[in-house]
Amino acid sequence: MIRFSIITIVRNDPVGVIRTLQSVFSQTYQNYELIVQDGASTDETSDVLRSFGDWIDNLTIEKDNGIYDAMNRALRRATGDYLLFLNAADFFFDAKVLKNISEKINIEKDDLFAGVSVRDEDGLPHKFRVEGKHWLGNTFDHQAVFIRRSIIQGLEYNVRYKISADLDFFTRARLAGCSIRYDDTKVVRKPYSVGASAAFFDRVSDRLRILGGAYGADYAVSDEILSEARSTFARDFDIPHATVAGHSLDELLIQAIDWGNLLR
Amino acid sequence: MTGEIAIRGLSDLYIAVSAQDEMTIATAPERLDEIRAQLEQGSELYRTIFDQYFRLISQHVPALARQPRDATAPSAHRLSTPPVSRIVEPALRIAVSGIGRSGTTLIYQQLAKLLLLDGRKANFRYEPYLWNIRSAEAKGNPFDMSQLHHFGLMVHKTAPLFLEGPDPVHDPFIDHLFNERWDRDQSVAPDTYLTKVIRGSGRLRSYLTRFPDLKIVACLRNPVDTINSSLGMFSFFGEEFHADDRSRFRAEMAARGANVDHLATAARCIEWYGAWWQAFTEETLVTAAAFPDRVFLFCYETFQNAPQGLLEQLFDFVGVRNAGLYMGLSKPAGATIKSTSLTQHDMNKLGEQIAYYVTSVLEPQLGAELASERMDKVVSRYLSGQFSFPIAGSDLGRRAPIQLRGMMVNGETSAFLKLVKRSNPLVSLPDLIEKHSPDDAVRLRRPVEDPAAIKKSKTFGVVIPCHNNAATVSNAVLSCLNQSLPYDEIVVVNDKSNDDSAEILAELADLYSSVKVVNLPANLGPAAARDLGIRRLTTDFFTQLDSDDLFWPTKNACEAAAIAGDETLVAFSDILLLRPEKSFVQSTAVYSGKTGSEVFSTLMARTSQIPRDMTLSRKLYFEAGGYNMTMRLYEDWEFKLRVAAKSRAWIRAEGVAGTVYNRLSPGLSGVDDSLHARALVQIFLRALTYSDARPDDLLAAFDLAIGHFKTRHVATQARGALQEVLAKSSVDLRHFGDLSARRDVTSMDNAAFGRLIGTYAAGYQETKVTT
């Protein structure tokens, strides 16, 4: 019988974490452990978590160095067969998710088992790149993928990436030969925020570094990312394609700061 | 277009220019476009424009003349007006001043009549900081945009609210009030000036010093009637016309050394009105003391008490006598009020102002005994009035005050209208009071004599979860505000409602300093909503209220008295139960005075009416572990069991009832019976772990607790298991109860749960042997 480790990272979000844990406790499949890592919340979050008592198998309240550091700290304590990171405000699609996954997942073969993530805003599945385009970016949602414990505990997240450490981990897992199974089971509902932000620029640079290093020899990683970035900038900043066409990625990133200011 | 305008007063110029009339100025036609452009840019430029025009007019006034609008009318005659600073002539100059709704209009109109009967050549100015109304009859004016006095508005916005001496903008404004040609004949000076202002109470000394013969009739009225009257009409702060009065008032008060912290709590709370009333009443009294011969205090209550005596004094003061004045003033505003916009929370907050008025105004005027009698009467009237939410300062008022009633009639909507137009409550508290209270509403609602003695230095709060209760939540909150001992804090947790709740609650939080709203970004259910609300409360004690129920007016006073500051106790009241066919009081006497463990045993059987919405300390709440946030059925019963186990004793409060419990529609009718049975069974068994206290006959208690759900399969299985466990000797019931507290049990279906406890009961003996 497969045992899951559900890992929830939270800081100062009592409402989000209550919603997350309510969805965990309502799972009809009961062979799981719940690990909660609270980054030393300054509001009532920690008190709320303590009030759940031993229903949280493993509660740690401590300062961390960002979300991926918190995830690393939590995953080291995991003992289940597969881990799922269900962070505060993310919640299971329904009460049968773990039951469905436990029936589908093949513990002999599947290292990563990726289900579907649904946008809380509109209830629609969130779209990712097709599987073959994994050299360009994520092909599934971090919060919808069950990860074999030995793999994540071996590789961990690289905390130098503040935003794209998940892409980095999945890329390293692929390179290490992990099997990835895609499935249409709806796993998680989560809020998605959209729009250009400083995080976007970091993400592009990180992607270039991660994916260029991993697949640069075999695929036109930088060309494609540059092309994607141009389209994104043209769309988000409402700029003619001709204007973005001539720029290198570095130029675009510098220019984007001005464009961003213009938008504001 | 060429032409000439006659400037009768500076205000005419401003009205003419700002109204964009088709005119130009003979002396400086090239400047008109520039001025118009400035006017369009915004009112903050008024001052610049004014300065320019003041210079202009000082130099060229004789050359200005008016272009008549109607070509057939006789053309306006040219004027030879000297610079305004030189037309002072001996005359009777009277200003009627007061805070809005203190009786200034009444006095103004009667004095105006008196002066006209006396054959005076009088210039009348009604509310010139706002309106351009120049008649003796203030009533009957449409009070629409065409009557706005742009110059007066500019002066009010520019001049400080507290002004003692000269001011380059305000001085010409006062000149315009008390030093102009006669309105009816510009060739002569008037012999009388009568002006009424409600925004000048802080500027009286600048009036008195500029015109040494000016007399002021200063109207005084108690804060309760004055503020209540204002709340139903317009705000003291005039946000309809100038948005910055509140911030200016706070800044000037702070600069004068006043503590203004309480003015930061809520945007439109009563504290603002109390502070405004007190600041300007104090300033009026200080001014009157400094100019005893020139300021006449017209105290509304003195007038009610002995009208003739005060009028005689007023005649002496203005120096004009006529019996006509009696006629209009013979009927001061009656002893009853039609409606109140003041809650008891508000009255409580006005305590300082009420005390101030009694000692500083009423006692010197009426003597101590009469003063307190009169004030008691005033306050009592508010205990039975029909309540309506304050219009003053509402979003409606801010957007389009003058069309306010029109908007309401035309069904336009806004957050404020959603609040005031809430559907008629099915539950009428006044009717229930009449039916169920031996005391009348006034006695029932009378504020407690000595709050400090009851509260024992502790604070009391309420948490109200709200999920799609827009129709009833405002009445629930009002019932907390209208307590004979008001709550210190009311936290409403909006559990992600899809209706108008958020807007309505935001309005309430704007109006009442004790109301705080927590909007949850996700729907968590009542248990979690209450828990988060209780965590947000800062009070020592709390109670809870569902947003479709109400509190009886004495709920807090009676339960606070019962608990007497003891954090180990629980206080509760009887319940006024509303069912479709009737309403009746459900006694909770069975629980009266019992120890925590006795209450626990009684609670387990769920027989007689369980107390609800008890008052207890937040400390006890957290010690008991708070609400179980994973439960959605009978979570309150489960919580009460744990509180009982942790508490010292339960005290039944006096009073007819605590909660008016609305069971007009069945609450959980949509939930399957088997889920009811399961929840009850699980909570009952789980309770075996909280305390060693037990009902004498546990099986009988089980039957009573499960009630008519006992025929459900899960209930019969659980009863069988319980019976089997009880039949075995030296049984630790806690172990059995622990099963129902397990995390994995919450999501088990009934069949699996039944098997689990059945297996445990059957195997209990062996388990004991092997361990």
Side-chain angles (χ1 to χ4, degrees), chain B residues 525-547:
Chain B
R530 282 186 203 119
D531 182 85
L532 287 174
I534 291 161
R535 290 177 195 278
R536 296 287 167 93
L537 277 169
T538 60
T539 54
D540 301 308
F541 290 89
F542 80 97
T543 184
Q544 65 182 49
L545 176 63
D546 286 350
S547 46

Side-chain angles (χ1 to χ4, degrees), chain A residues 5-7 33 35 67-85 110-112 140 142-143 145-158 165-174 176 178:
Chain A
S5 296
I6 312 299
I7 296 178
E33 64 175 353
I35 297 169
I67 189 163
Y68 287 105
D69 178 46
M71 287 161 83
N72 279 341
R73 288 162 188 249
L75 69 87
R76 288 168 199 153
R77 303 197 299 273
T79 62
D81 302 313
Y82 287 90
L83 276 64
L84 180 75
F85 290 94
D110 300 332
D111 295 325
L112 303 175
F140 46 73
H142 190 186
Q143 267 64 56
V145 60
F146 292 81
I147 308 167
R148 192 190 292 279
R149 175 169 60 90
S150 58
I151 288 167
I152 187 77
Q153 285 183 337
L155 296 175
E156 293 199 349
Y157 294 100
N158 186 342
D166 54 342
L167 176 65
D168 173 69
F169 163 72
F170 292 125
T171 303
R172 285 186 290 129
R174 274 180 208 275
C178 290

Side-chain angles (χ1 to χ4, degrees), chain A residues 22 27 30 32 44 55 57, chain B residues 524 536 629 743 746-747:
Chain A
Q22 283 178 341
Q27 289 302 302
Q30 289 139 12
Y32 66 85
E44 61 266 67
W55 285 28
D57 298 282
Chain B
L524 298 181
R536 296 287 167 93
M629 291 187 252
R743 179 180 74 188
T746 48
S747 56

